[in-house]
Amino acid sequence: MEEWTAALAATDLAQYLRHGRWSYAAVNALHILGIGLLVGAVAALDLRLLGAWRAIPLVHLSRPLVPVAGAGLALAMATGLALFAVRAPDYAAMPLFAAKLALIAAGTLSAIGHHLRNGRLLDRASPAALRLAGATSLLCWAGALSLGRLLAFSGD
């Protein structure tokens, strides 16, 4: 793992982000945009799954929010990998980073599983399955977001 992270940190992309005047800031801003799209869409959908806004049919919220969350996740993952490359050995050694990745994986796999079982718009799910999906998702994404922010205050 150490060899892989050292090699990643030595790539041209990592060097460019590490030494470019605006490059790191631009990628970081795109990462924050991706997180905002992901967590904003997920939080609204999860609250509906947990019982908020029952007067609004689930399909009316899930139709726009599921693709927004997916786009946010894709953007956050792509930019997150680029940001990771800048300090790959340091981040890989942090337990907080491993926990963050575990929560991202759990949130992603949980969402994929619920959508595969219950339809892209979750229209075939029971109320109990919807509550489970909403609670799991909120915990995973709020936890990943929190750990990501804590990373800025840990280490050196």
Side-chain angles (χ1 to χ4, degrees), residues 2 6 11 21 75-76 89 150 154:
E2 291 175 20
T11 61
R21 181 172 174 95
L75 180 59
L150 286 174
S154 64

Side-chain angles (χ1 to χ4, degrees), residues 45-46 49 58-59 62-63 66 110-127 129-130 133-134:
L45 184 57
D46 290 344
L49 297 178
L58 177 59
V59 68
S62 59
R63 188 171 284 124
V66 168
S110 174
I112 290 169
H114 283 292
H115 287 283
L116 287 174
R117 276 189 306 280
N118 302 305
R120 188 177 77 81
L121 302 176
L122 300 173
D123 51 333
R124 297 189 313 254
S126 69
L130 292 176

Side-chain angles (χ1 to χ4, degrees), residues 1 84 88-103 143-144 147-148 150-151 154-155:
M1 176 80 139
F84 173 76
D90 297 333
Y91 286 131
M94 294 179 171
L96 280 177
F97 187 75
K100 174 187 170 181
L101 291 182
L103 287 171
L147 291 177
L150 286 174
L151 285 170
S154 64

Side-chain angles (χ1 to χ4, degrees), residues 5-20 23-24 81-89:
T5 58
L8 184 59
T11 61
D12 290 341
L13 174 64
Q15 296 294 330
Y16 175 71
L17 292 175
R18 195 176 299 115
H19 300 294
S23 56
Y24 186 90
L81 179 60
L83 295 173
F84 173 76
V86 172
R87 293 182 46 207

